[in-house]
Amino acid sequence: AGGVCVITTPARLRHIFGRDPHYGVPGLVALPNGLQRFIVNDVLKRRVHGVLGHPSPAYDVTHLYWNVREIAGLFPQPHTVEVLHNRQYRPPGKFTREWLRHPSVALEQLRFNVREYFFDRILIWKKAA
């Protein structure tokens, strides 16, 4: 069966030096997932309360993904995987003097090239069988 899936999720690298998007702990996403779980549940002793009021460990994140390929790997044989870029992209071409006169051109090229690690939205499309 074919279909389209749009995923909206923060990229791990967007929060590497800031506060974790789930628990607000600075630098937490720079650590492996198991260590993140240990810090939130055992060191900081964060808890959530269920419907009956019973406390349980707060960390319920299965995995924070580093790049688009990791997320795409969850979908068997996708036809197209594309990061939706937040702005219109005009390829500047090969390195030219224009890049030196307008560093924003080089910055835009860099942003486009690393979008796989700083994504917000990912489109995964699979053709019908």
Side-chain angles (χ1 to χ4, degrees):
V4 176
C5 178
V6 177
I7 300 170
T8 302
T9 184
R12 191 174 199 157
L13 283 176
R14 284 194 180 272
H15 301 282
I16 197 109
F17 297 113
R19 294 185 172 276
D20 166 71
H22 300 99
Y23 305 101
V25 178
L28 187 67
V29 299
L31 304 172
N33 289 330
L35 192 52
Q36 291 179 35
R37 182 179 310 282
F38 173 75
I39 289 172
V40 171
N41 292 339
D42 300 326
V43 175
L44 299 176
K45 304 232 184 266
R46 300 265 176 100
R47 298 290 182 259
V48 294
H49 295 280
V51 178
L52 300 175
H54 300 293
S56 60
Y59 194 92
D60 63 353
V61 177
T62 302
H63 185 67
L64 289 174
Y65 293 94
W66 283 104
N67 61 53
V68 172
R69 282 176 280 145
E70 286 183 324
I71 294 173
L74 300 173
F75 295 82
Q77 302 174 338
H79 175 71
T80 304
V81 177
E82 184 60 51
V83 176
L84 302 181
H85 197 49
N86 290 334
R87 41 177 78 97
Q88 184 178 5
Y89 174 69
R90 294 185 188 97
K94 294 181 179 178
F95 181 78
T96 63
R97 289 184 192 181
E98 193 68 22
W99 285 37
L100 297 174
R101 278 182 270 182
H102 301 284
S104 63
V105 173
L107 182 59
E108 184 62 25
Q109 178 70 43
L110 177 64
R111 279 189 191 128
F112 186 78
N113 289 342
V114 298
R115 72 193 186 283
E116 183 176 302
Y117 297 94
F118 293 93
F119 54 86
D120 285 317
R121 290 169 302 284
I122 304 164
L123 174 70
I124 297 176
W125 173 51
K126 189 171 180 180
K127 287 184 178 181

